[in-house]
Amino acid sequence: PACFGVPAGGVVPPIVPGPPLSIPVGVTQDAATGDFIVVNFGDVTLSRVTPGGVVTPIVSGPPFVAPISVAQDAATGDFIVADQGNATLFRVTPGGVVTPIAAGAPLSSPFGLTQDAATGDLVVIDIDADALIRVRLFASADCNANGIPDECDPDCNANGVPDECDIAAGTNADCDFNGVPDACDVAG
């Protein structure tokens, strides 16, 4: 392709100047390949577009009804598609396997989404609810099987491991058997 010198903020020739894209409404870049992943509202597809403009559909039609935006899950490399038509978020593998991950309340009309870099959660704009909604992609760990997510269990030394699990793993001692790692006991 030709090289175009353009000042910052200038417009360069399009990567794909029209069809086969059909009302493209969302885009993200595949961190693994550098390709662009495009949501096409018009023909209800999720497509891969190379930097050179070659378009390859990943998923076309059902289960999508009105796909509107896409983000990439940094942990897995999968793509997350917000479908406004059926109030659903879908996980799509690079190979095209589609799995619903969240549907219905509190989602009513998911529109835009991104991944929170700190937590890995999705943050979704819902335009009917005028809300930002957090969607957890993965279940919380429960190292002691007490039914309480680890991030909610006591963690006196703030090492990210519940006290009970710290003691059971032998990473912190509890010589007085009070359920609190000795490193956190206050000397009296």
Side-chain angles (χ1 to χ4, degrees), residues 83-88 103-111 124-131 133:
D83 192 307
Q84 193 175 23
N86 56 20
T88 302
L107 297 173
S108 58
S109 189
F111 190 77
V124 182
I125 295 171
D126 192 294
I127 59 173
D128 283 352
D130 292 327
I133 299 170

Side-chain angles (χ1 to χ4, degrees), residues 36-114:
F36 301 101
I37 307 304
V38 179
V39 173
N40 292 290
F41 187 83
D43 63 3
V44 192
T45 62
L46 181 68
S47 299
R48 177 177 295 280
V49 180
T50 67
V54 176
V55 179
T56 306
I58 299 172
V59 178
S60 183
F64 298 150
V65 175
I68 200 79
S69 60
V70 62
Q72 187 171 35
D73 180 354
T76 66
D78 294 343
F79 308 107
I80 309 300
V81 176
D83 192 307
Q84 193 175 23
N86 56 20
T88 302
L89 300 178
F90 293 98
R91 176 180 294 279
V92 181
T93 67
V97 177
V98 181
T99 307
I101 57 172
L107 297 173
S108 58
S109 189
F111 190 77
L113 69 156
T114 191

Side-chain angles (χ1 to χ4, degrees), residues 96-155:
V97 177
V98 181
T99 307
I101 57 172
L107 297 173
S108 58
S109 189
F111 190 77
L113 69 156
T114 191
Q115 190 169 33
D116 182 329
T119 66
D121 294 345
L122 287 177
V123 178
V124 182
I125 295 171
D126 192 294
I127 59 173
D128 283 352
D130 292 327
L132 276 177
I133 299 170
R134 184 174 293 275
V135 177
R136 175 129 316 145
L137 286 177
F138 299 99
S140 295
D142 184 12
C143 67
N144 54 7
N146 66 356
I148 299 171
D150 287 351
E151 63 267 22
C152 300
D153 270 331
D155 180 14

